[in-house]
Amino acid sequence: MLKIRLARGGAKKRPYYHIVIADSHSPRDGKFIERVGSYNPMLPKDSATPRIVLKADRISEWLAKGAQPTDRVARFISQSQDEVLVGKVKWTQSNNPKKGEPGKKAQERAAERAQREADRLEAEAAAKAEAAEAAAAAAAAPAVEEAPAEEAPAAEVAAEATEEQA
């Protein structure tokens, strides 16, 4: 299948493109059949020299033979003011609403993270409830249980004193 596409030229960080007719299986900058235009993206849009140069008659002949333009070249042809190319190619902006969505693996990781966070919050809530129950039970306990708790430090002090003497 023949394509009308861009072939990159120019220096590093200074692109320049040739619009060529090439087989769809050939490399981007590889073998081509005919050069039918050029595109210089480094020129400002309002410059005196045109950014896009098209050989309209050759492009219309290749379109008649069945060559398919790529998306970018179709945009150039549809925006062309040349009478030969007007109406030959209809370019419409494509819409890919799923482009910004994360992939399957990222969605799985996000779901796992959300599950871990939910489990952690549930565990914290259970720990708070358990602590509240323990505090309520301690407040409801009789005062007799608190007395041995006060005696425990005195017993420890006595044990330390005997160790120091020995």
Side-chain angles (χ1 to χ4, degrees):
M1 175 193 234
L2 293 177
K3 289 281 197 182
I4 304 174
R5 65 183 186 194
L6 298 175
R8 191 180 193 279
K12 183 168 145 183
K13 300 192 180 197
R14 308 260 323 149
Y16 185 87
Y17 296 94
H18 296 287
I19 300 172
V20 297
I21 310 296
D23 183 36
S24 62
H25 300 293
S26 64
R28 179 192 70 182
D29 302 333
K31 185 177 174 182
F32 61 88
I33 299 169
E34 182 180 355
R35 188 177 296 157
V36 292
S38 63
Y39 168 54
N40 187 355
M42 299 301 288
L43 290 175
K45 291 183 179 180
D46 57 352
S47 69
T49 58
R51 294 174 72 177
I52 303 166
V53 177
L54 300 172
K55 295 180 184 175
D57 55 337
R58 297 301 300 157
I59 291 174
S60 65
E61 285 181 30
W62 283 107
L63 288 171
K65 292 178 184 178
Q68 296 292 316
T70 59
D71 191 50
R72 178 62 59 174
V73 174
R75 175 187 279 189
F76 293 158
I77 293 172
S78 67
Q79 292 173 349
S80 173
Q81 303 298 325
D82 201 330
E83 307 86 40
V84 177
L85 293 177
V86 171
K88 292 277 185 178
V89 175
K90 296 289 185 206
W91 176 79
T92 56
Q93 185 173 1
S94 58
N95 183 15
N96 187 359
K98 294 185 178 183
K99 182 179 181 181
E101 292 180 4
K104 288 182 182 179
K105 294 246 181 188
Q107 288 176 349
E108 290 172 3
R109 285 192 300 266
E112 289 175 8
R113 255 186 265 123
Q115 183 64 35
R116 281 195 309 263
E117 184 66 20
D119 291 345
R120 185 184 64 80
L121 291 175
E122 186 178 311
E124 286 179 3
K128 285 182 182 179
E130 188 176 305
E133 288 177 14
V144 176
E145 292 181 15
E146 292 180 18
E150 293 175 350
E151 292 175 7
E156 289 176 13
V157 171
E160 286 178 13
T162 57
E163 288 177 10
E164 290 175 11
Q165 291 174 0

